[in-house]
Amino acid sequence: IVDRILLSAWHTDRLEYDAVKDLLRNAVEIAPNFSLIHSILGETNLRHAHQRGNSTSRFHQEAEKSLQLALKLNPKNRDALFGMLSYYMERDQTDQALDMINQYIEDYPELLEEGYAGRLHYTYGGLYSKKNFRLEAIRAYERSLEPYLPAIEVWLHLYDFYESSNHLDLACQTIVKALEAYPSQTAIIRRALRYPDEIKNEVNLE
């Protein structure tokens, strides 16, 4: 089983998703109750959907089936949980995603204490953004900062919110941290250049 999983990772790096799924299905035949294999298979179908935009429905259906089975076999399979949340978000089923993440945190509060708190808050930020709950999204993104390396969009969301709310000090602090994490990103540099005097002691914008 291990060799099939490792080989599937090799094919995944090359975007050869049909080969990946063949290997994983073979692994499922050997170990049908191994939750990890089903979650990897589900995530692979989500990636395949991105690659083949004209067949997203079929791949999403296959992804949902595998991820749901992975969670049935092991309710604490975090990869399967985040896979299902991605599935819902890609299909604009934001309410279902929020219901799911809320229920999981209620059932397994330890998820917030085992190194996944940042990722969970980051996911909340994305979901609240889709619902246009701007303040809730910003609070979730703020909570994701310490334990989780924020994606570029987190820094941009926070900066834009602070700037529009006239919290220039927080906006400048945010963009300085963003530059430390992503020094060559154009969107971040553009925002930093809006207030060069305020942040000149912290970064070099030349």
Side-chain angles (χ1 to χ4, degrees), residues 32-36 38-39 64-77 80-81 84 100 104 108:
N33 295 322
F34 193 5
S35 177
L36 174 63
H38 294 286
S39 64
E64 181 187 22
K65 180 180 178 181
S66 294
L67 292 168
Q68 292 282 19
L69 180 54
L71 287 171
K72 181 179 180 180
L73 293 169
N74 178 11
K76 292 187 179 183
N77 185 329
L81 169 61
M84 277 302 305
M100 183 175 198
Y104 260 79
Y108 307 105

Side-chain angles (χ1 to χ4, degrees), residues 192-204:
L193 288 172
R194 294 177 188 172
Y195 305 101
D197 292 337
E198 287 79 357
I199 65 174
K200 63 184 179 182
N201 293 328
E202 301 293 336
V203 296
N204 181 8

